[in-house]
Amino acid sequence: MERWRDANVAKQFTLEVFPKLAIIARDMMSAGSITVADLSRGLYDHEQHLSVRDRGWRRYHPFVYDFDSTPMILDEPGENWTEEAKALHIDNQNKAIAKLKVDYGERRHEQVVQNTKDLGPKAISIVSYHNDMHEQARNSFVLGLYFPALVATCAIGERILNHLILDLRDCYKSSPHYKKIHRKASFDDWRFAVDVLEDWGVLIPDVGLTFMELAALRNRSVHFNAATYNTLREDALSALVKLGRIIKLQFGLFGSQKWFIEDTPGAQFIKKTHEDTPFVRTYIIPLSGFVGIHYGMEFTERGWCHLDYEDYGTGSVDDAEYARLYRERDHSKVVTRNMVEQAARSQALAAAREKSDCRDQ
């Protein structure tokens, strides 16, 4: 379970089990139908969603992610900004600088601020095994620990390659590569690993190339090379930028990833045709709610969860139509906690009346 972090530094939403948070919509149900409310984990019972009758109206919506926008706050306000916008930005900037002083101490504070600015924002990424290590490598750079940051970043790149192959290889048993990898516990040949993942169609375009650019930095830095003493900061920053690009492209949201439906501003939904794509099934769907267009979100002390109708009815829509319906949805129908509680009270009242009628008979 991932921890919740300061909202100004990162967003890591905790995925908890919130069973049966759907609104009761009895008029939409038919006798004997299975709905998300009948599943033990409701919108998050991913293995059972093929059995729900309204699955054609639902898509997976990932909502557990990590990012750090602090470096953007440290930029100077734009010349064309209004005075009000400039004042607000400067106030946020001062707060961010004060927080850096708390987090990293007052020693070399100016360098800490400059390193944070040069590092740039931590790209939005789904929560996975790389997030905490990526954060540690970035923190090392901010503190001026350039060699640890450089070596750690290269090691994270290799770990990502290993995870991708080891986590996904059983999905590609028919691949000619399988006999070479099915018994291996790790891989240190980046070129081979990238070739395998590209042949499987796992990697987003440009990710393989960026891996190999990071590999070149790894080989230059990890193996003895006296020239690297003079370029530690430059190399560490370059490595972190390349790793950030890999994570942004492969594990990111709001990008051009092929598995997300296009033209759904403010949210990402997985295409029906990619629900069984091994990368999506392994890494993204477990962090997603299975929702219709009128879903809502609620933040609780345990993290974010979805609120949704129990049943959208029979039939289905394709991804383009789902996107249109989402863009044009009636916001008065978006599910809220008040609607959930009102539906629960109505259901309880109906049950009480039914019980009373049975006594009268």
Side-chain angles (χ1 to χ4, degrees), residues 30-295:
S30 61
S33 295
I34 295 177
T35 72
V36 290
D38 299 314
L39 305 179
S40 62
R41 299 181 64 230
L43 303 177
Y44 310 117
D45 205 344
H46 306 105
E47 297 303 317
Q48 302 299 322
H49 287 154
L50 280 177
S51 63
V52 300
R53 81 181 198 119
D54 66 345
R55 61 186 179 275
W57 291 94
R58 295 182 181 273
R59 297 296 187 274
Y60 284 106
H61 171 241
F63 69 105
V64 184
Y65 55 91
D66 167 52
F67 73 93
D68 179 359
S69 62
T70 302
M72 298 173 64
I73 301 173
L74 300 177
D75 289 337
E76 295 304 313
E79 294 182 1
N80 297 326
W81 292 13
T82 65
E83 292 304 315
E84 182 181 1
K86 288 181 180 179
L88 179 61
H89 181 81
I90 291 173
D91 182 56
N92 289 333
Q93 187 180 75
N94 290 335
K95 290 178 181 177
I97 291 174
K99 190 173 188 308
L100 287 175
K101 190 173 290 187
V102 171
D103 290 343
Y104 296 103
E106 297 191 16
R107 188 181 178 209
R108 299 178 181 173
H109 182 61
E110 291 184 2
Q111 187 63 55
V112 164
V113 173
Q114 188 61 53
N115 285 347
T116 303
K117 290 176 65 175
D118 292 346
L119 193 54
K122 186 181 183 184
I124 293 179
S125 164
I126 61 171
V127 171
S128 191
Y129 47 80
H130 59 261
N131 300 102
D132 283 342
M133 292 182 178
H134 188 201
E135 183 74 10
Q136 291 172 29
R138 286 172 61 92
N139 288 342
S140 295
F141 181 85
V142 170
L143 284 167
L145 306 176
Y146 302 129
F147 185 66
L150 173 58
V151 175
T153 301
C154 295
I156 295 168
E158 188 164 305
R159 292 180 74 91
I160 290 176
L161 285 172
N162 273 269
H163 266 291
L164 289 172
I165 290 182
L166 297 176
D167 293 347
L168 302 178
R169 62 184 173 186
D170 285 347
C171 299
Y172 298 96
K173 290 184 177 180
S174 60
S175 162
H177 298 295
Y178 186 74
K179 62 182 180 181
K180 302 176 185 177
I181 63 173
H182 76 287
R183 291 187 178 181
K184 294 193 68 174
S186 64
F187 305 88
D188 56 14
D189 184 340
W190 288 41
R191 178 74 270 172
F192 172 74
V194 166
D195 286 345
V196 169
L197 292 168
E198 286 185 333
D199 286 350
W200 288 349
V202 170
L203 298 183
I204 293 290
D206 293 335
V207 169
L209 176 62
T210 309
F211 264 121
M212 296 315 301
E213 291 174 350
L214 182 58
L217 264 174
R218 171 192 179 276
N219 295 336
R220 178 174 178 271
S221 306
V222 174
H223 303 297
F224 180 74
N225 183 339
T228 60
Y229 290 117
N230 298 320
T231 59
L232 282 180
R233 186 182 188 279
E234 176 185 343
D235 291 344
L237 180 57
S238 177
L240 280 163
V241 168
K242 294 181 192 305
L243 179 64
R245 176 171 172 77
I246 289 168
I247 292 173
K248 176 182 178 181
L249 291 174
Q250 191 67 39
F251 297 92
L253 301 172
F254 306 108
S256 57
Q257 291 84 0
K258 60 187 177 182
W259 34 76
F260 291 130
I261 299 175
E262 295 85 4
D263 203 13
T264 55
Q268 293 284 58
F269 304 94
I270 296 171
K271 294 177 179 176
K272 275 293 181 188
T273 53
H274 279 283
E275 287 181 1
D276 291 323
T277 297
F279 179 86
V280 173
R281 175 61 61 178
T282 301
Y283 295 111
I284 305 180
I285 285 181
L287 305 176
S288 303
F290 196 42
V291 299
I293 61 168
H294 289 120
Y295 77 95

